[in-house]
Every structure is written in structure tokens, then in C-alpha cells.
Amino acid sequence: MDDTFNYQGLTMEGAFLARLKFAFFSDSQSNSRTSFIIEPGNIFIDIKNWEDAGNVSGTRINDDYNELIIVPGNMSKRIREPWEQKRVRGYENRTWTEDDEREYMREAVSNPEREDARKKELLFLEKYADSPGVIRSMLFVYLTHERLQERIQHVLDRMPENARDSLYSIQKVMIKRREEYRRNREPDTAQIFRPIEIIPEQVQVGKPYSDFTGMTLDGQEIKLSEILPGKKLILLDFWASWCGPCIREMPVIAGLHEKYKDEGLAVIGISSDANEANWKQAIEQYNMDWLQLISAEGEDRIGELYSIKTIPYTVIIDGDGTILARKLRGEELVAKIDELMAR
């Protein structure tokens, strides 16, 4: 045995993505898998590390697949997996804090390597838009979320019509199943563990608000203390354009703004976007016509001031400047605002 094997055959289809799965035995049985493109030519798969997908080469599409998908994916995986394991242990032991979650998001989810992998995957999808068998399965993750689909709509538009229509049919089924799952699940809330929130005393419920300076869409600086006079309630909504849950929560925020904007409620969106263009585009796209701010000092200074570790996140402040509630979303947020506005 020289740890090699080969096979050959004929295909009547165009190029398509295939997966190869291995089982190997050491102290315990484990599995490894890799993927490659079946197309005419001699294709080489080299697996040196069972933890990673093997490198592929030898044909045009496989060379691109290796450079743009496998290598960046392996790099991102090596960074992400230790964090995933650490997070699982923290949840199991109920010791995982919101500081831990924020570090996990920064190091494992939003790291430069993962962003590089996303960009290269998009390059691959764009290059092979006319080869649906090659990119079809990679498109599925984009098709169940509107914001993700926006990133690859130009790829879908370039695909052969029958392949695109087939994907749209599958998309409808996937979205329907997802919505049915969300409606029908009945989680045991006693068993759900969420990261432990550690809030500094100065920004806890019952404490006076902390003033800050934000920058508006037109580049003007404004302080919270300039907005507060004459208001019954202030609702601070911490969000970002890249945050899917934040965007899904926007109809709730918009509804509260529309309902109470003339009755003393001031809604203030506070974005942690580093990219100002993305921030402005999201505001326009989702018709967020209430006051929008980013930190005038750069980075996420306002979020740090209020100890915001995860988003979406809300803070409610009354007209006297007292913090009344934190971290309410959805129906809980609506009920609380209704209650306070009725006083």
C-alpha cells in the first residue's frame, strides 16, 4: 500500500462538483471528505492533513477551485474550529459571557481570513456562472436569506435559464420549510443558555444615561443630551448593515417609530459599521427614516460606552435621562414601549 488510488470513467454531463469521503482508523474511527470538479482530464487530489480538505489540481476548473475555495476555506477553518470548540464548552458549562461571544465573533466569524474566503468564493461563482453543475450546491446557502442573495444575484442572472429556474424552485421549498420550522418549534426556554451579560454599574437599568456624540448621515455631530429635552422616551437601537438579525428586527423598530414619533418617542439608530458606504446603503434600502448615527470618534465608541457586546440591542431611556430597560427585542420591546408611552 502506497496510500494512493485512482479511478477513471466517462461522464455525459458537463463539469460538476463531486465529493469524496474517506474513513480512516486510528484511536477512534474518523471520517474526512474533500470535494473536486469532475471534468475531462487528469485530476489529482492530495490529502496530507485529514483535518483539512485535500488540495486538487490538474485541470482548469480544479486549479481555480483549489485556489479560490479549498485553500482559503482550510485557512478559515483552522482559525474557526478551536473557537467553535471553546464556545461549545463554554455553553455546556454555562460560563460563556458576552465578552467571550464578542471575541468569538471578532476572531472566528469576522476575521480577515474568513472575509478573504468569502471574497474568493464570490470570484469563483462569478467565473463559473455558466457552469451550473459546478456552482449549484454552493449557491444554496445564499438562497434562503434575502441579503445573502443580493450578493450573488448577478451570478444567478448570468446562469442558464433552466438552471436558474430550478434553483428558484428549490429556494421556495427551502424558505417554506424554514418558516414552518420556526413556527412549529417549541423551545424549552429553561434549557436555553445565552451568553452571560456583564453590565458595568454606570450603565445598568436605573442609572442616569451616559452622554455621547454621534455623527449623522450628513456628517453633522450631535449629542444625546441635545435630543433628550422634550422627549418622553429615547430608544437606542444598536445595529449594523452586516447583521442579519438586526435587519430582520427593523420592521419592529420602524413600527414603533411610526406609531409614537409624534407622541414623544425618539428612535435613534446607532450603527457599528466600519464601512460608511454600507451603513448609508442599508439605511436607504430599508427605509430607516429615523435618526441614524455612527460614532463620531470612529470605531464603536457609543457601543463600548453602553457595554454593547452583541447586536441587535436596544436601550430605553426616559425623558428624565434614566435608563429604564436594556436588551429587549420583538414583542417584548413593543410591549415595553407601549406600556411606557401609556403612562
Side-chain angles (χ1 to χ4, degrees), residues 212-216 219-222 293-299 301-302:
F212 59 78
T213 300
M215 188 172 70
T216 64
Q220 301 298 310
E221 292 189 0
I222 187 169
L293 302 177
I294 56 174
S295 294
E297 301 173 8
E299 301 181 1
R301 299 301 186 194
I302 303 174

Side-chain angles (χ1 to χ4, degrees), residues 18 20 34-37 42-47 53-67 69-71 74:
L20 194 60
T34 193
S35 52
F36 64 103
I37 310 300
N42 294 318
I43 302 168
F44 300 92
I45 303 174
D46 183 16
I47 300 177
N55 291 317
V56 300
S57 62
T59 57
R60 179 177 64 91
I61 305 181
N62 277 295
D63 288 343
D64 285 342
Y65 186 71
N66 193 70
E67 178 186 355
I69 302 297
I70 292 179
V71 173
N74 283 341

Side-chain angles (χ1 to χ4, degrees), residues 220-239:
Q220 301 298 310
E221 292 189 0
I222 187 169
K223 291 180 178 290
L224 177 58
S225 54
E226 297 170 342
I227 303 169
L228 187 62
K231 300 299 180 184
K232 188 170 184 177
L233 286 180
I234 300 284
L235 173 61
L236 305 180
D237 175 40
F238 293 85
W239 71 287

Side-chain angles (χ1 to χ4, degrees), residues 276-296:
E276 191 173 321
N278 290 347
W279 171 56
K280 291 181 177 180
Q281 180 182 353
I283 291 170
E284 181 179 359
Q285 180 176 352
Y286 296 103
N287 300 314
M288 299 159 62
D289 60 351
W290 50 96
L291 179 61
Q292 298 293 334
L293 302 177
I294 56 174
S295 294

